[in-house]
Every structure is written in C-alpha cells, then in structure tokens.
Amino acid sequence: MNDFLRMCLNIITQIGPYLVVLLLLKYLINLQQKRAKEREEEQKRGIIRTHYTIKTEKTLTIIFVFGILFTGGCTVASAIQQDDIFPPLVFGIAFVVFFIGSLNMIMWKLEVDEDEITWRSTFGRKRTFHFEDITYCERKKGSMRVYVNGEKLFTIDSNIDKEEFMEDIKRRRIPVKSYWTNQHKKNRK
C-alpha cells in the first residue's frame, strides 16, 4: 500500500504543474470570453463606452509576482549553498526577467476618456494625447503599435484585451497597417 501511495504522489507531482497551468489558462480564456460577450451585448444595445482602461490581466501579474518570490529565493539559496557561480547566475537572470515583467504589468496602463488618451509607461512616464493625434497603427503578431506624428508612442501587447480601443480606432477611421507588409515594401525599394 505504501508503494502505491508513493507512486500516486509521484504521478501527481509530475502532472500537477501542467494541470495548474491548464486551469489558469482556462480561467483567463473564460474571462476574456465573458468580457467579449458583455461588449457584444453592449454593441447590440447601441451602448458605446466612452471611458475605459486597458491593463494587463491581474492573474498574469500575480503569476509573475510569485515568479519573483520563487526565483529570488532560489537565487539566495543557491548562492548560499553552491560554490559554483552558475546556478545563482541563472536564477538571478530569471529573477530580473520576472521583476521587469511584473513591473511592466503593474505600471503600464492606457486610459481612454472620450477623445483623450492617457498612457502610462512601464517606468511611470505619463503622456496625454487625443485620437486625432494618432497618425496610424501597425499590427504585428497580435500586438498593436500606435504612432503619433510618425513616431511610435506605445505598443499594446497581444495578451491584453484591446477590443474597445480597436473599435474606437475603426470608428475614427485611423489607418491600421500590417508590419509585415510595410517591411516587404521597404525591402523592395
């Protein structure tokens, strides 16, 4: 009986992380589908929201914060226990990646209030502009780059729900170009 329990525990510890990741992904997908359905119902009723905020999903931010804690602890523990520099260096690099990623997820925000757009960067820099200032947008692999007066202002990543913003872009007839088409045209010249 003891061998059977040990075998079951071994199977659970091997499969458990995959199940946790799948459950988190299912939760995020369900949350996005729920928001899309609510937005679709608002469109059917003719409701156009004039004030909304675009941010990174909180669940993803929490995962990155736990990544900071885990890799920070592993960095310290491996530095104390190891004579070799390689393990603390690897954990230290992972710690920096998780730290910068979570800082970006916590700080980055795009707030739209009717025609005014307020963008806050990863490092807290705020810029306010209007939809008429946007010269064009560029789509690349699910992310959206926004250009103001020909210079790139910010990028909305593919993991962020940007449907409302894209509806505003479409409603105001701001051109949306494809990054790959632009690169192809540049290469032909």
Side-chain angles (χ1 to χ4, degrees):
M1 184 69 176
N2 194 14
D3 290 335
F4 177 72
L5 289 174
R6 192 172 303 140
M7 182 182 72
C8 289
L9 183 63
N10 191 17
I11 290 171
I12 289 171
T13 56
Q14 289 179 0
I15 297 174
Y18 297 108
L19 292 175
V20 169
V21 168
L22 286 175
L23 289 173
L24 282 171
L25 287 174
K26 184 176 181 346
Y27 171 75
L28 289 173
I29 289 170
N30 286 342
L31 188 65
Q32 286 183 339
Q33 287 175 344
K34 180 183 172 187
R35 287 183 184 162
K37 190 174 184 178
E38 289 172 358
R39 199 173 313 107
E40 186 178 313
E41 289 176 10
E42 288 176 351
Q43 286 178 342
K44 286 180 182 176
R45 291 188 222 139
I47 300 171
I48 297 174
R49 290 178 35 177
T50 59
H51 183 80
Y52 55 90
T53 303
I54 299 173
K55 293 174 69 171
T56 307
E57 292 288 336
K58 290 180 180 136
T59 310
L60 197 57
T61 306
I62 291 169
I63 291 170
F64 266 71
V65 169
F66 279 122
I68 288 174
L69 297 174
F70 177 74
T71 56
C74 289
T75 302
V76 171
S78 63
I80 291 171
Q81 295 176 356
Q82 298 285 329
D83 292 333
D84 190 14
I85 192 75
F86 185 71
L89 182 67
V90 170
F91 284 122
I93 291 171
F95 174 78
V96 169
V97 168
F98 275 112
F99 182 76
I100 291 172
S102 61
L103 180 68
N104 181 39
M105 290 179 190
I106 291 169
M107 294 296 290
W108 190 94
K109 181 169 79 169
L110 186 72
E111 190 172 347
V112 177
D113 188 15
E114 292 185 18
D115 191 41
E116 185 178 87
I117 302 169
T118 304
W119 167 69
R120 185 175 69 194
S121 72
T122 301
F123 301 107
R125 191 177 89 193
K126 272 188 171 182
R127 288 187 63 186
T128 302
F129 56 97
H130 295 86
F131 274 104
E132 61 259 7
D133 297 338
I134 298 175
T135 50
Y136 66 96
C137 297
E138 192 173 63
R139 188 184 318 263
K140 181 182 179 185
K141 291 186 182 178
S143 63
M144 185 61 61
R145 296 175 176 179
V146 177
Y147 290 84
V148 174
N149 299 325
E151 103 180 43
K152 184 176 89 169
L153 180 63
F154 62 87
T155 302
I156 303 175
D157 292 329
S158 59
N159 65 333
I160 298 175
D161 185 20
K162 56 188 168 286
E163 292 299 319
E164 288 176 302
F165 186 73
M166 293 311 298
E167 288 170 10
D168 273 344
I169 294 290
K170 188 187 291 184
R171 190 171 34 253
R172 289 173 168 81
R173 294 192 172 110
I174 297 171
V176 177
K177 301 176 181 180
S178 171
Y179 172 79
W180 301 111
T181 304
N182 290 344
Q183 289 301 319
H184 183 66
K185 286 179 183 176
K186 287 179 186 176
N187 290 338
R188 284 197 298 181
K189 289 182 180 178

